[in-house]
Amino acid sequence: MMYEYDLLGQLTDETRDVMRKNLVGIYLHGSLAMDCFHPDKSDIDLLVVVRHRLPDKQKRRYMDMIVELNRQAPAKGIELSVIREAVCRPLVYPTPYEIHFSAAHLGWYLSAPEDYIRRMKGTDKDLAAHAMILYHRGKTLYGKEIREVFSPVKESDYLDSIHSDVEHARDEITACNSYLILNLCRVLAYKNERLILSKREGGEWGLEHVPAAYRPLILEALRDYRGMEEAKKSSVPAEEAAAQNMRRDLLAKEYADYMLEQIEKG
């Protein structure tokens, strides 16, 4: 874990150098903040808050720095949004952002940086979920303390944000989609008990609160999320293995239907 914190120290120093007096703070949320980071499964989640809008020249300089640091990051890389202080307290929803980066956008930036800078702006519903986790369980890396900058996220905004992340789960889920299997658990945990959980914690909650028929699916997702390899590879014939996978995928879709029904109950 020290490796990730060394990278965060470098990112903090270089963000301060680029943003200077415009910088309000740098904040860590997600699995690394909640002590369930896995280098092969997790990204490094950050929010950077600034006082004023960023000119395109400054965005380009900052993005070049982030892309270079992303080369040093674990497998899933850095995910980062820059937002203005004025939209944080209370949080504007959907939340406007100045610039956003994740490994999914790396190819776009490398191939067309000016187009990226021009078009990578707008609003993002996910930022409400990030801000909620940050407010309750995040870490300040630099600048003002979290609760000086952010107020609690409105419950209706948070619910809409996390629901939008899973609303198409039935169409997207498969037995090997650990992200959705665990995320459905943590959304339902908030809906039922107002718990702010990581994906791993959500899965652990699900083992206690979801019908027994779906527990093997959740256990398998937790094992995958933790990076645990199966004790031995299956030796069944390819045809039987394909049939097993089909049954698991059907169970995953049934699970998604059940979880969404519970989440969407009034």
Side-chain angles (χ1 to χ4, degrees), residues 62-113:
Y62 192 62
M63 282 298 306
D64 285 345
M65 181 272 286
I66 293 297
V67 166
E68 187 59 35
L69 284 181
N70 193 65
R71 300 180 197 278
Q72 306 173 37
K76 290 196 70 177
I78 295 167
E79 181 164 353
L80 174 148
S81 294
V82 179
I83 62 178
R84 288 181 294 121
E85 186 177 23
V87 308
C88 297
R89 193 179 181 92
L91 189 78
V92 175
Y93 183 78
T95 310
Y97 62 91
E98 293 295 295
I99 194 78
H100 172 78
F101 173 77
S102 74
H105 300 107
L106 180 59
W108 177 16
Y109 184 76
L110 291 176
S111 64

Side-chain angles (χ1 to χ4, degrees), residues 170-215:
R170 192 185 191 284
D171 296 329
E172 298 170 357
I173 202 167
T174 63
C176 63
N177 193 331
S178 301
Y179 175 89
L180 270 176
I181 291 168
L182 300 180
N183 214 26
L184 283 163
C185 288
R186 70 171 174 176
V187 172
L188 187 58
Y190 183 80
K191 167 71 165 39
N192 288 357
E193 300 184 24
R194 296 304 185 261
L195 299 175
I196 309 293
L197 304 178
S198 67
K199 287 189 287 293
R200 186 195 72 192
E201 292 165 342
E204 291 165 353
W205 179 91
L207 291 176
E208 300 294 325
H209 295 85
V210 169
Y214 305 127
R215 288 174 194 161

